[in-house]
Amino acid sequence: MCGIIACAGVRRASEILYKGLCDLEYRGYDSAGISVRREDGIVTVKRAGRVSAIECARRLGGDAGIGHTRWATHGAPTDANAHPHNFGGFSVVHNGIIENYAQLKAELAARGDEFLSQTDSEVVAHLLAKYYRGDLKEAVIRTVRRLKGAFALCILHEEFGGFAAVKYRSPVIAGYGSGCFAASDMPALSGLADRVAVLKDGQIAFAGENGFTFCDFDGNAVSLTFSPLPPQLRSGGKAGFPHYMIKEINEIPAAIRQTAAAFEAEGCARAFAKLRRKKFSQVIVCGCGTAYHAALAAAYGGEELLGVPVRAETAGEYRYRRRRKLSGTLFVAVSQSGETADTVEAARAAKAAGARVIAVTNVPYSALTSVADVVVPVRAGAEICVAATKSYCGQCAALGLTFCALAGGRHYGRAKRALAEAAAMCADAISGCAAEDAARACASASAVYFIGRGADYPSALEGSLKLKEVSYIPGEGYPAGELKHGPIALIDGGTLTVAVITDPALAEKTASAVEQVCARGGRAAVVCAEGCETAGLRGRAEYFIAIPRSELFPAIVAAVPLQLIAYRTAVILGRDPDKPRNLAKSVTVE
Ligand code: AGP
């Protein structure tokens, strides 16, 4: 979604804010803006485009300020709709959605206020001005009590030396370092703050000369505990790689190993042994986008392992489904960010219906963790590229460990060994993968279809999503058996079909789908695990990518060539794989 940042008690606030916005840019890159407080008042620079469009703002100076990078929801990406929004001595940045903005706008317009943007956020500056009678705290409290929806706000006022930050259903982290800071996530605070505190819903921070004070929406003082910024949440930059995407693909083996180590260190196996004794009758695994594909991959093996029905659901559908009581249900919510609105709300709905909720997430302080009964850590480290890569493999690893720990007996030990092997296989696949030729074929194709059977179907879906989001080439992922029931009508010489084959028992079946594609003049590439090559397959497919075979974690190893193909295709086509058009890393709106 959007990224917000604020600082106070610093020299050259504008430099700090600009750098912070560069770190937050993956949350949205439609427009950017900075306001700083100087002796001559509040000065604002904002523009449509990427953060680099406000490079000149670095020289504004100031001892306090706020900044914003936007993923447009209300109003096109224009200069006027860029944040901050200023009115009556206030300057405001917002992440989230003010659901009752139209009603508030009408009320404020009726008393003569003029609005300069089409955003929902501008009403906040107007409400603050309306309620300000010389007491900032009172104005902020009266304002936030009028708002419905989700809002993380940073607020500057011309008569106040610091800033205020508000948290309600969108994240705000406060930090102390060589000044006071607040931001949408921890990586943006690395290098600025050494101690951080996560605000809860309904809390307000005021950063002034003497540091932070906190209160709730009723004005009651609250105290927050600051702790050191976790090292895994520091963003390490591109480390010599041309893009975050390829850097993060290279970090897959580490993500798997660290996830397995954290599962052990945080006592997840013990927690699941207890849960097992309580008995459960079904498991629902839920997420959006790539996280849903990890859920689906886990569900394929899960049913046999656990002996109860296991199904995967997309969170956006699940949250609005009428449901029976869910006592005896384990609801596993999967989310890299832990912020995705649909996933968090689906978990809340499942919990309200009586399910036990397990959160599988890469962000330990996220909203999802506060809903969960058990948190399973993914330790992929900060993922900056908008397209999920290492976090997907980390999610598959964490889900596999979860299911094996729930199954009990020898399964958990077996999963740990298989993951150590899968991490080594990924390292081999990264260094030895022949993705380049297949990527060239993708780059010149009119459409690219991905097919797989059984556990390879989620891999086909994920391969297709990855290619679409970074290259913009149309395509779909299909179960290989479905191809002949309709999609085969799309096959012609301009299309490429990528088949994923990692299960020897199903290899012949998927190979025959490849035959059907080739018989209609379509081009084919095969990602094939050791021991799955069928007679003549290498000759039929134009591109043959061999990968090692992991029996327990086929989706993890298959992800490597699929991600590399997507990355190389984007680069060949001159796309920015780290910041695909129209996307944002965390989708905190419905
Ligand atoms: C992944 O490449 C996508 N950018 C997207 O599908 C993502 O996985 C989805 O929005 C869910 O995000 P989450 O894992 O943070 O909940």
Side-chain angles (χ1 to χ4, degrees):
M1 233 54 308
C2 305
I4 61 173
I5 185 163
C7 62
V10 296
R11 280 193 287 158
R12 303 238 296 270
S14 57
E15 281 285 352
I16 291 170
L17 295 168
Y18 183 82
K19 184 191 166 292
L21 289 183
C22 292
D23 290 341
L24 286 168
E25 197 173 16
Y26 70 92
R27 297 178 67 92
Y29 29 88
D30 289 333
S31 65
I34 282 174
S35 283
V36 293
R37 185 180 176 278
R38 306 193 304 205
E39 281 179 0
D40 56 342
I42 290 177
V43 186
T44 300
V45 171
K46 58 181 191 169
R47 302 241 194 297
R50 296 208 169 172
V51 173
S52 56
I54 57 159
E55 221 261 336
C56 61
R58 295 173 77 157
R59 292 182 286 281
L60 290 176
D63 57 10
I66 56 177
H68 189 267
T69 176
R70 179 171 186 244
W71 186 77
T73 57
H74 294 63
T78 61
D79 290 357
N81 289 334
H83 298 216
H85 295 289
N86 297 349
F87 189 73
F90 284 93
S91 188
V92 177
V93 292
H94 168 222
N95 170 30
I97 285 198
I98 311 292
E99 285 168 1
N100 58 336
Y101 86 99
Q103 175 204 331
L104 293 169
K105 206 166 173 176
E107 172 191 318
L108 292 157
R111 61 169 224 151
D113 284 14
E114 280 181 27
F115 289 85
L116 304 175
S117 77
Q118 286 92 49
T119 66
D120 53 333
S121 313
E122 195 181 0
V123 295
V124 180
H126 286 251
L127 282 175
L128 286 162
K130 174 179 170 175
Y131 292 126
Y132 187 65
R133 302 273 182 279
D135 183 342
L136 179 67
K137 181 174 167 184
E138 187 197 346
V140 173
I141 289 171
R142 291 187 70 183
T143 296
V144 297
R145 291 172 69 134
R146 298 287 320 274
L147 305 178
K148 290 196 179 126
F151 42 94
L153 303 166
C154 289
I155 300 162
L156 217 53
H157 184 252
E158 60 190 12
E159 290 170 5
F160 179 62
F163 66 83
V166 179
K167 145 96 173 117
Y168 189 74
R169 294 201 159 181
S170 294
V172 176
I173 322 294
Y176 272 125
S178 56
C180 293
F181 304 92
S184 299
D185 65 28
M186 288 199 194
L189 292 177
S190 85
L192 294 175
D194 30 46
R195 285 172 306 136
V196 290
V198 180
L199 271 72
K200 293 203 174 99
D201 281 342
Q203 293 185 332
I204 306 170
F206 293 92
E209 275 171 19
N210 301 318
F212 278 110
T213 56
F214 299 96
C215 71
D216 62 21
F217 284 10
D218 292 322
N220 303 312
V222 288
S223 70
L224 266 70
T225 310
F226 280 77
S227 39
L229 185 77
Q232 77 268 17
L233 293 172
R234 294 171 199 269
S235 149
K238 288 186 199 153
F241 288 93
H243 300 101
Y244 279 108
M245 184 170 180
I246 187 66
K247 175 194 176 225
E248 289 164 1
I249 291 172
N250 274 271
E251 288 171 343
I252 286 172
I256 297 167
R257 290 189 192 107
Q258 286 158 10
T259 297
F263 192 92
E264 183 86 18
E266 298 193 9
C268 297
R270 276 195 306 281
F272 288 129
K274 267 195 210 152
L275 215 52
R276 193 169 62 236
R277 285 195 287 276
K278 293 213 163 84
K279 302 268 188 249
F280 48 90
S281 54
Q282 65 164 344
V283 180
I284 299 170
V285 206
C286 194
C288 295
T290 290
Y292 165 68
H293 298 155
L296 193 61
Y300 263 92
E303 188 144 329
E304 195 187 342
L305 198 59
L306 298 175
V308 295
V310 179
R311 67 175 202 270
E313 297 257 9
T314 55
E317 289 298 313
Y318 182 79
R319 63 179 288 197
Y320 291 113
R321 170 121 17 103
R322 288 184 187 199
R323 61 186 71 80
R324 293 175 290 143
K325 284 278 168 214
L326 292 179
S327 45
T329 297
L330 284 186
F331 185 89
V332 186
V334 189
S335 172
Q336 186 282 130
S337 62
E339 272 187 57
T340 301
D342 282 333
T343 309
V344 174
E345 291 309 319
R348 283 203 178 105
K351 190 161 185 168
R356 287 192 156 258
V357 173
I358 298 169
V360 176
T361 180
N362 197 31
V363 180
Y365 55 85
S366 56
L368 189 60
T369 59
S370 63
V371 183
D373 298 296
V374 182
V375 176
V376 176
V378 174
R379 281 282 185 275
E383 190 176 66
I384 305 298
C385 176
V386 167
T389 54
K390 59 178 178 170
S391 68
Y392 171 70
C393 296
Q395 286 165 353
C396 291
L399 286 166
L401 288 166
T402 297
F403 282 11
C404 287
L406 278 170
R410 65 196 166 85
H411 293 293
Y412 177 52
R414 190 170 152 243
K416 283 197 292 185
R417 286 189 296 280
L419 268 185
E421 284 165 20
M425 289 174 186
C426 287
D428 288 349
I430 291 164
S431 58
C433 176
E436 189 64 23
D437 290 345
R440 289 199 179 281
C442 287
S444 62
S446 56
V448 182
Y449 303 105
F450 290 75
I451 57 171
R453 258 183 199 260
D456 292 332
Y457 170 51
S459 295
L461 289 177
E462 178 56 12
S464 175
L465 175 68
K466 210 81 326 177
L467 184 71
K468 273 184 287 220
E469 63 181 338
V470 300
S471 74
Y472 321 144
I473 297 170
E476 286 306 331
Y478 286 111
E482 280 293 297
L483 194 71
K484 57 189 174 295
H485 296 291
I488 201 159
L490 297 167
I491 302 298
D492 63 20
T495 64
L496 180 76
T497 299
V498 182
V500 183
I501 308 179
T502 70
D503 182 351
L506 297 172
E508 291 284 359
K509 309 287 173 202
T510 309
S512 88
V514 172
E515 290 284 351
Q516 291 156 22
V517 166
C518 296
R520 272 121 196 124
R523 307 172 73 191
V526 178
V527 171
C528 187
E530 225 173 323
C532 296
E533 187 178 341
T534 56
L537 184 61
R538 210 178 272 256
R540 299 303 282 135
E542 243 172 281
Y543 309 97
F544 190 91
I545 299 173
I547 55 170
R549 176 161 182 265
S550 166
E551 200 184 328
L552 263 193
F553 294 100
I556 291 182
V557 185
V560 170
L562 298 175
Q563 292 175 5
L564 286 171
I565 289 172
Y567 171 71
R568 286 303 308 158
T569 306
V571 172
I572 290 165
L573 292 172
R575 318 279 194 231
D576 178 351
D578 289 343
K579 297 192 181 80
R581 70 183 180 203
N582 303 338
L583 297 182
K585 184 81 180 156
S586 322
V587 183
T588 55
V589 293
E590 292 180 37

